[in-house]
Amino acid sequence: MKKFIFLAVLLLIQSTFNNAVIAQENKPVLVPLPSIDDFTKGEDGWAFGLGLGIEYESAYEGSDELGFEAQPAGAVQWRSGDNIYYFAGEAFGWRGLLNGKWLLGALIGFEEGREESDSDDGRLDGLGNQEEGFELVLQARRSFTPDWRYWLVSRFVASEEGNLALFGVGRRFGEQTDGTGSEVNLVFVVHDSDYANKGFGIDAMQSLSSGLDETKLSGGLRSVGIDYNYRKNINSDWQIYGEALFEYFSSEVRDSPIARSDYEAEVGIGVIYKF
């Protein structure tokens, strides 16, 4: 039932803003932000990007084990004025530009599960496997300048296993407005008790199986973090991108036996071909 609710909300949000969006002349990208992939080249209709990236990241949330992982990159997109609809991996979404100042978005995708085998050192043994589940993600950015130099950012994630929200500020570097260059965001993240315990809680049965202390977390501050995004066009078809993330957990999260590290980190680089 929740899957159908997510779909209904996504369609409602899109239809609400679709009529309010002010049409603008075609431009290379919807907004000049390196973190937002846009393969449409300023034209309405279909656009495609296909590529591959390599990430060096934490094995799971709170892990002190780091490793490399290959990830597909790109998306199938369809643009209509200031709206882009897209399918990327396991996510289907929409983003739209409102009055040139608001970038709004919604997507439905899969929330990654966690398996005991994610830890090569056996740190998750006895905790059981967590299945993938649907999640609804609502996003908004509000620019303070016409060229999207500074903005506020927010994100809300609703899932069957709890809710999470993110708030922060961002800045774009470089003079180009074609979606290349770099940007940085400073954020703080909050979660409810269900979401907190999904990642860092240990119930009585898990405690008995794993030997770890039973742990129950409350909702509140989850972390503070910083993320960096870089994008460069090699030519009209090829594009390279890079990203880095550092998230420092709150004291309650750090006290969980699952959190073997005080932070989560990720660095990635990849290449995309635009059709």
Side-chain angles (χ1 to χ4, degrees), residues 230-244:
Y230 173 81
R231 195 175 295 269
K232 179 179 177 60
N233 289 327
I234 302 174
N235 53 40
S236 61
D237 297 318
W238 287 97
Q239 184 180 90
I240 60 173
Y241 70 90
E243 54 190 17

Side-chain angles (χ1 to χ4, degrees), residues 138-231:
L138 307 178
Q139 305 177 78
R141 296 197 197 193
R142 203 284 186 184
S143 178
F144 293 113
T145 58
D147 61 353
W148 284 82
R149 180 70 63 186
Y150 302 94
W151 60 83
L152 293 175
V153 60
S154 63
R155 182 181 304 146
F156 177 72
V157 180
S159 72
E160 299 171 277
E161 300 295 333
N163 307 300
L164 175 145
L166 174 153
F167 306 94
V169 295
R171 186 186 192 281
R172 182 177 63 84
F173 302 91
E175 298 302 321
Q176 63 269 46
T177 57
D178 60 354
T180 63
S182 60
E183 74 175 64
V184 64
N185 294 276
L186 299 173
V187 301
F188 71 91
V189 185
V190 296
H191 53 194
D192 63 16
S193 58
D194 289 338
Y195 201 98
N197 285 290
K198 179 199 69 171
F200 298 99
I202 302 173
D203 61 28
M205 182 172 296
Q206 290 174 321
S207 176
L208 184 63
S209 299
S210 67
L212 300 176
D213 293 337
E214 188 173 347
T215 303
K216 184 173 179 60
L217 283 70
S218 58
L221 180 65
R222 170 190 173 89
S223 63
V224 294
I226 181 171
D227 67 79
Y228 172 83
N229 289 273
Y230 173 81
R231 195 175 295 269

Side-chain angles (χ1 to χ4, degrees), residues 43-95:
E43 300 177 356
D44 284 356
W46 291 102
F48 305 88
L50 181 62
L52 182 68
I54 299 293
E55 296 179 351
Y56 185 65
E57 60 183 356
S58 303
Y60 57 90
E61 292 183 338
S63 173
D64 58 356
E65 304 169 55
L66 296 169
F68 288 96
E69 184 176 2
Q71 293 281 359
V76 178
Q77 301 175 341
W78 187 77
R79 180 170 179 170
S80 176
D82 284 338
N83 295 278
I84 291 180
Y85 307 84
Y86 61 90
F87 176 75
E90 297 179 328
F92 170 77
W94 157 83
R95 64 175 64 104

